[in-house]
């Protein structure tokens, strides 16, 4: 299919505003706001990268609050003050200069806000109904509150127009307007409660005020529910009926539809923003059914991560604009690659939800996202002469280093001891819901092929193998080995790796110890349960998956509940000893010091790794930098002082070859070191 025939690349117009294609990114809390909720340089650079990548529409806010009693601890923009207008003006100019349209999402959080941070004001809602997720007990709004919030929406909308944006949308789902719509959260008996007409009244008044303030040439949409999936809540038919009521008002121009609820961590990650444990595009057909019932354009986002699905949505008329929000976090160059005929080179979103945690909006396998000021999304060729580079280790850190160095135009050789690349990440697929992680490896395999990197498998590189290549730069990414020698009786235990790699088989009466709060021990527990083995899981922490983003942590909680796995919490493993043909695992309680002994046939231990640094140590003495990384240069995104050459090779180490961390750290290590070489 040529670019001119691709439905994704056809333009789309609302109220005279033209989007150059049908691909968009929805508003989300990217966590890059500064100076009291302003979209300054970091925030703007993040969205500008999407615009330069070819996107038709980038939306931001997620959500921008219109009043001071609508706040979270972080992650929002402050649209309640004129102070934001100069930021919006600069922001819109940058995005427009890159060819894209830009819009904002406005909201009042209602009961979903927080009363014990920032302004320390009580939260508001149509009725006193607490949200499980955000936990505040709201105050029921009176007529003065309603009038004030309506005015606040109008003021914020005016600021958006003054800032040069194409338009805005109001956040309905789970936020204040949606709380008025739903009978679950609206128990009022006045003109704002009871009948559908009454429950829509507040939303109509808000949009009347918005339209009055922005005029006819400004786009106004709604992020709208299509099913609350909640007993006594709004089902599909009720949502359609309300949508038709808003449509008939003539106040809104499109619906950006959401499925499900957002009032707990689990439903947020399975309904509204589904991750790796959910199917691809789970609500697309529902969105299409909604579109058939209404007369306004429909947008939608929910794990639409590949262009084939996006193209189907537009071609079949299910959507008018298709949102690939997390897809653009993984690769903001999606549209450019599509236009160039490089669809197979798009870095895939694999649904790890790293971008939704405390480190938002960074992607676990695109470390440039959210850091565009220093580390570019597009790796340019080095202005310096090509260097000969050796990378030892084909795990995530080594693969990324080889990719980045190859993109810089260097001559790259990668040594990998195993028969395939991927390192520890190859074990992740043993979990019932984490198979898509393989996309991290597969994409880099494909990229190394495009770049002509010389990948040598089944090669356990020694120092002489490296030096025989006459390298200028050597990157050690040999990973780590299980950290067990701290444990008395370590020779009796089975590393979690051995179970996940298939080297060891779980047996009945297995004790599993998790000393990290990461995936491996939890995966071993699931593997044991699926194999029908009797086992006990003991955690050092007070809950499973402490180090994981909430989107992964809550899925483990669900899977454990489904499978009847009940961990023993806050116990530290102190030793293992033999007791005849059995093993005794000794623990003490982290809070009380109380001892506990478990008898087992097998003890599986996860305690991270220690660096496999033999190769590094054997090479550092002859390196020009003694293997030292200049941290000031690294943090500033500047070249290292040593890049090898006539005087010998420069030596660096990254990933678990330095210390036991995670995938995101390994990828970032490689990017910031190698992208300036």
């Amino acid at each position: 299919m040529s670019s001119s025939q691709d439905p994704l690349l056809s333009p789309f117009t609302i109220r005279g505003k033209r989007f150059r294609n049908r691909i968009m990114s929805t508003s989300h809390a990217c966590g890059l706001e500064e100076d009291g909720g302003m979209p300054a340089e970091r925030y703007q650079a993040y969205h500008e990268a999407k615009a330069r990548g070819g996107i038709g529409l980038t939306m931001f806010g997620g959500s921008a609050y219109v009043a001071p009693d609508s706040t979270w601890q972080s992650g929002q923009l402050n649209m309640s003050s004129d102070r934001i207008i100069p930021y919006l003006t600069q922001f819109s100019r940058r995005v427009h200069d890159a060819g894209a349209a830009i819009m904002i999402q406005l909201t009042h959080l209602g009961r979903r806000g927080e009363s014990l941070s920032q302004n320390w004001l009580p939260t508001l809602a149509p009725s006193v109904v607490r949200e499980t997720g955000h936990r505040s007990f709201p105050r029921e709004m009176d007529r003065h509150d309603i009038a004030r919030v309506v005015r606040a929406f109008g003021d914020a909308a005016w600021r958006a127009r003054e800032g040069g944006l194409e338009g805005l949308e109001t956040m309905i789902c789970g936020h204040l307007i949606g709380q008025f719509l739903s009978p679950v959260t609206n128990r009022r008996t006045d003109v704002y409660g009871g009948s559908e007409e009454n429950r829509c009244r507040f939303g109509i008044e808000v949009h009347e005020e918005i339209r009055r303030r922005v005029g006819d040439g400004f786009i106004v949409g709604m992020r709208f529910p299509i099913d609350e999936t909640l007993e006594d809540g709004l089902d599909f038919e009720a949502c359609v009926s309300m949508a038709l009521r808003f449509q008939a008002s003539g106040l809104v121009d499109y619906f950006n539809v959401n499925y499900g609820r957002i009032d707990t961590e689990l439903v947020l990650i399975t309904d509204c923003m589904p991750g790796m444990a959910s199917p691809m595009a789970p609500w697309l057909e529902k969105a299409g059914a909604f579109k058939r019932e209404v007369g306004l354009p429909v947008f939608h986002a929910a794990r639409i991560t590949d262009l084939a699905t996006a193209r189907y949505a537009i071609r079949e008329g299910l959507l008018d604009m298709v949102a690939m929000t997390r897809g653009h976090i993984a690769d903001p160059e999606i549209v450019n690659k599509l236009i160039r005929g490089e669809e197979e080179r798009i870095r895939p979103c694999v649904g790890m939800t790293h971008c939704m945690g405390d480190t938002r909006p960074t992607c676990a396998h695109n470390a440039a996202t959210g850091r565009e000021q220093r580390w570019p999304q597009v790796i340019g060729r080095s202005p310096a002469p090509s260097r000969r580079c050796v990378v030892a280790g084909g795990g995530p850190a080594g693969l990324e280093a080889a990719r980045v160095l190859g993109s810089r135009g260097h001559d790259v050789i990668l040594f990998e001891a195993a028969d395939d690349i991927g390192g520890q990440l190859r074990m992740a697929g043993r979990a019932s819901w984490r198979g898509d992680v393989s996309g991290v490896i597969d994409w880099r395999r494909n990229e190394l092929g495009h770049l002509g990197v010389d990948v040598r498998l089944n090669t356990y590189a020694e120092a002489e193998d490296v030096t025989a290549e006459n390298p200028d730069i050597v990157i050690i990414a040999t990973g780590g080995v299980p950290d067990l020698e701290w444990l008395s009786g370590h020779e009796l235990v089975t590393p979690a790796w051995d179970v996940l790699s298939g080297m060891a088989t779980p047996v009945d009466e297995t004790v599993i110890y998790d000393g990290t709060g990461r995936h491996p021990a939890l995966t071993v527990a699931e593997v044991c349960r699926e194999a029908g083995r009797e086992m006990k899981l003991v955690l050092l922490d007070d809950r499973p998956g402490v180090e994981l983003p909430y989107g992964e942590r809550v899925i483990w909680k669900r899977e454990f509940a489904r499978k009847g796995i009940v961990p023993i919490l806050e116990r530290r493993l102190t030793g293992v000893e033999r007791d005849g043909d059995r093993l005794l695992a000794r623990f003490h309680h982290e809070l009380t010091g109380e001892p506990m002994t478990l008898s087992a046939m097998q003890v599986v231990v996860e305690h991270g790794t220690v660096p496999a640094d033999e190769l590094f140590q054997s090479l550092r003495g002859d390196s020009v930098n003694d293997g030292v990384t200049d941290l000031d240069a690294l943090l500033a995104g500047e070249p290292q002082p040593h890049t090898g050459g006539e005087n010998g090779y420069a030596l660096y180490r990254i990933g678990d070859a330095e210390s036991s961390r995670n995938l995101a750290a390994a990828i970032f290590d490689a990017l910031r070191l190698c992208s300036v070489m």
Side-chain angles (χ1 to χ4, degrees):
M1 182 183 298
S2 69
S3 294
S4 62
Q5 298 172 316
D6 195 323
L8 289 173
L9 298 178
S10 61
F12 185 66
T13 302
I14 302 180
R15 279 194 184 258
K17 306 290 186 180
R18 183 179 184 272
F19 306 147
R20 59 182 169 182
N21 56 57
R22 303 298 184 103
I23 300 176
M24 64 177 288
S25 172
T26 51
S27 299
H28 53 287
C30 68
L32 299 175
E33 70 288 340
E34 302 172 48
D35 190 25
M38 298 295 111
E41 175 61 29
R42 292 175 64 215
Y43 201 109
Q44 294 179 31
Y46 166 65
H47 282 275
E48 184 183 18
K50 302 181 190 187
R52 295 193 180 283
I55 201 168
L57 167 66
T58 189
M59 298 188 68
F60 68 102
S63 301
Y65 64 86
V66 301
D69 49 3
S70 171
T71 59
W72 285 321
Q73 287 183 336
S74 63
Q76 283 182 289
L77 296 183
N78 180 4
M79 284 291 287
S80 69
S81 165
D82 290 352
R83 191 165 69 90
I84 201 170
I85 295 174
Y87 290 93
L88 298 180
T89 302
Q90 180 189 48
F91 194 0
S92 61
R93 185 182 302 119
R94 290 174 67 165
V95 171
H96 291 155
D97 286 348
I102 181 169
M103 294 174 57
I104 192 171
Q105 182 182 95
L106 301 180
T107 199
H108 193 295
L109 291 163
R111 69 171 188 158
R112 193 166 168 77
E114 294 178 354
S115 59
L116 302 178
S117 67
Q118 292 196 44
N119 296 326
W120 286 72
L121 293 172
T123 57
L124 303 177
S127 304
V128 182
V129 181
R130 187 193 197 202
E131 186 197 270
T132 302
H134 281 239
R135 308 186 65 80
S136 72
F137 286 94
R139 173 170 65 79
E140 182 172 301
M141 296 174 71
D142 61 25
R143 60 186 179 88
H144 300 289
D145 296 317
I146 290 173
R148 172 177 60 82
V149 173
V150 168
R151 287 195 305 272
F153 268 102
D155 291 343
W158 174 82
R159 293 178 188 115
R161 192 197 68 180
E162 290 297 294
L165 310 183
E166 270 73 27
L168 65 86
E169 70 179 16
T170 53
M171 177 59 172
I172 309 302
C173 312
H175 290 214
L176 183 59
I177 299 175
Q179 292 160 27
F180 271 92
L181 298 185
S182 176
V184 172
T185 47
N186 185 347
R187 301 175 182 175
R188 301 175 74 100
T189 57
D190 63 2
V191 297
Y192 293 96
S195 68
E196 178 184 288
E197 180 182 8
N198 283 355
R199 284 181 283 118
C200 287
R201 190 180 307 277
F202 175 72
I204 293 289
E205 291 179 358
V206 165
H207 287 86
E208 286 175 339
E209 179 67 7
I210 288 173
R211 183 58 71 192
R212 184 181 74 82
R213 298 296 302 279
V214 300
D216 292 334
F218 199 70
I219 301 171
V220 177
M222 302 176 79
R223 189 79 179 261
F224 203 81
I226 55 175
D227 195 326
E228 283 192 309
T229 66
L230 185 64
E231 186 177 356
D232 300 324
L234 299 173
D235 60 13
F236 180 81
E237 289 73 20
C239 290
V240 168
S241 179
M242 287 183 161
L244 292 173
R245 191 177 292 272
F246 282 102
Q247 177 178 297
S249 73
L251 298 169
V252 298
D253 301 309
Y254 72 87
F255 296 109
N256 183 2
V257 297
N258 270 36
Y259 182 89
R261 300 146 43 207
I262 59 174
D263 56 341
T264 71
E265 282 189 349
L266 181 60
V267 295
L268 186 65
I269 204 65
T270 55
D271 288 2
C272 182
M273 295 183 286
M276 191 184 298
S278 299
M280 294 293 185
W283 318 126
L284 180 55
E285 297 298 331
K286 286 276 189 181
F290 180 88
K291 177 174 167 55
R292 289 192 293 272
E293 299 292 332
V294 301
L296 292 177
V298 171
F299 307 170
H300 175 58
R303 210 174 180 218
I304 301 172
T305 63
D306 64 284
L307 287 179
T309 302
R311 187 176 292 115
Y312 164 79
I314 299 299
R315 186 185 63 233
E316 299 301 315
L318 302 177
L319 303 176
D320 296 284
M321 292 285 289
V322 60
M324 304 180 71
T325 307
R326 281 175 285 172
H328 277 84
I329 291 174
D331 192 343
E333 289 285 309
I334 287 175
V335 178
N336 284 345
K337 290 179 180 179
L338 169 61
I339 292 170
R340 293 197 301 262
E342 298 177 348
E343 193 168 332
E344 81 286 353
R345 298 192 67 180
I346 293 171
R347 185 188 327 229
C349 169
V350 299
M352 282 184 284
T353 68
H354 180 85
C355 56
M356 295 161 53
D358 294 336
T359 57
R360 67 181 68 191
T362 58
C363 173
H365 82 122
N366 182 356
T369 295
R371 301 177 173 117
E372 288 84 1
Q373 287 172 278
R374 291 186 176 172
W375 293 283
Q377 289 286 354
V378 178
I379 306 296
R381 292 182 69 86
S382 172
S386 175
R387 299 287 186 175
R388 187 162 178 80
C389 306
V390 170
V391 178
L399 294 175
E400 180 70 351
R403 181 191 76 86
V404 174
L405 290 169
S407 299
R408 294 288 282 167
H410 298 307
D411 180 15
V412 185
I413 299 167
L414 185 144
F415 291 121
E416 168 53 44
D419 60 359
D420 198 4
I421 58 174
Q424 295 180 47
L425 209 58
R426 294 169 63 186
M427 305 179 205
R430 292 297 302 276
S432 60
W433 56 277
R434 299 192 69 225
D436 287 352
V437 169
S438 63
V440 174
I441 303 169
D442 294 340
W443 180 74
R444 286 174 172 79
R445 187 196 314 275
N446 187 53
E447 285 298 291
L448 297 190
H450 275 287
L451 294 167
V453 172
D454 182 0
V455 178
R456 302 178 188 178
L457 302 176
N458 298 303
T459 304
Y460 187 91
E462 303 283 1
E464 54 270 24
D465 300 309
V466 173
T467 56
E469 299 298 333
N470 296 314
D472 300 305
I473 298 169
V474 178
I475 308 292
I476 302 299
T478 46
V481 294
D483 179 17
L484 298 174
E485 292 193 4
W486 56 274
L487 178 66
S488 174
H490 64 86
E491 69 280 357
L492 302 174
V493 307
T494 302
W497 284 19
D498 286 6
V499 177
L500 299 180
S501 67
M503 292 176 59
T505 302
V507 301
D508 271 328
E509 298 185 76
T510 290
V511 168
I512 305 161
Y513 175 65
D514 183 2
T516 64
R518 302 173 186 171
H519 286 291
L522 310 184
T523 306
V524 170
E526 186 181 62
V527 167
C528 286
R529 181 52 51 92
E530 293 295 321
R533 305 304 185 192
E534 180 184 338
M535 61 84 188
K536 290 184 173 68
L537 173 62
V538 184
L539 309 182
L540 176 63
D541 299 307
D542 62 352
R543 61 195 185 280
V546 168
E547 286 194 16
L548 305 179
Y550 77 84
E552 295 186 316
R553 188 170 61 242
V554 73
I555 295 298
W556 275 122
K557 288 169 62 178
R558 182 191 70 180
E559 293 306 299
F560 280 9
R562 285 176 171 176
K563 296 175 171 65
I565 299 172
V566 181
I568 300 170
L569 307 177
E570 297 184 289
R571 299 301 204 285
R572 181 181 297 274
L573 180 63
T574 59
V576 177
E577 59 192 67
R578 189 168 293 286
D579 180 29
D581 62 347
R582 302 179 67 82
L583 299 174
L584 298 178
R586 302 198 183 277
F587 301 85
H588 80 255
H589 197 290
E590 283 288 274
L591 303 181
T592 67
E594 177 186 359
M596 178 183 75
T597 300
L598 297 178
S599 177
M601 295 302 296
Q602 183 182 52
V603 177
V604 178
V605 174
E606 160 59 14
H607 195 264
T609 62
V610 292
D613 63 352
E614 296 87 351
L615 180 59
F616 175 80
Q617 298 299 345
S618 65
L619 288 168
R620 70 182 307 173
D622 291 328
S623 68
V624 297
N625 62 331
D626 197 31
V628 174
T629 300
D630 186 304
L631 296 184
D632 291 335
L634 185 74
L635 296 176
E638 297 174 353
Q640 290 293 305
H642 300 285
T643 55
E646 293 182 3
N647 296 325
Y649 56 85
L651 176 69
Y652 302 96
R653 54 180 167 174
I654 58 176
D656 283 5
E658 284 202 286
S659 68
S660 181
R661 288 170 292 159
N662 63 14
L663 171 65
I667 298 295
F668 190 26
D669 273 4
L671 176 73
R672 62 181 170 181
L673 176 68
C674 299
S675 64
V676 290
M677 284 184 167

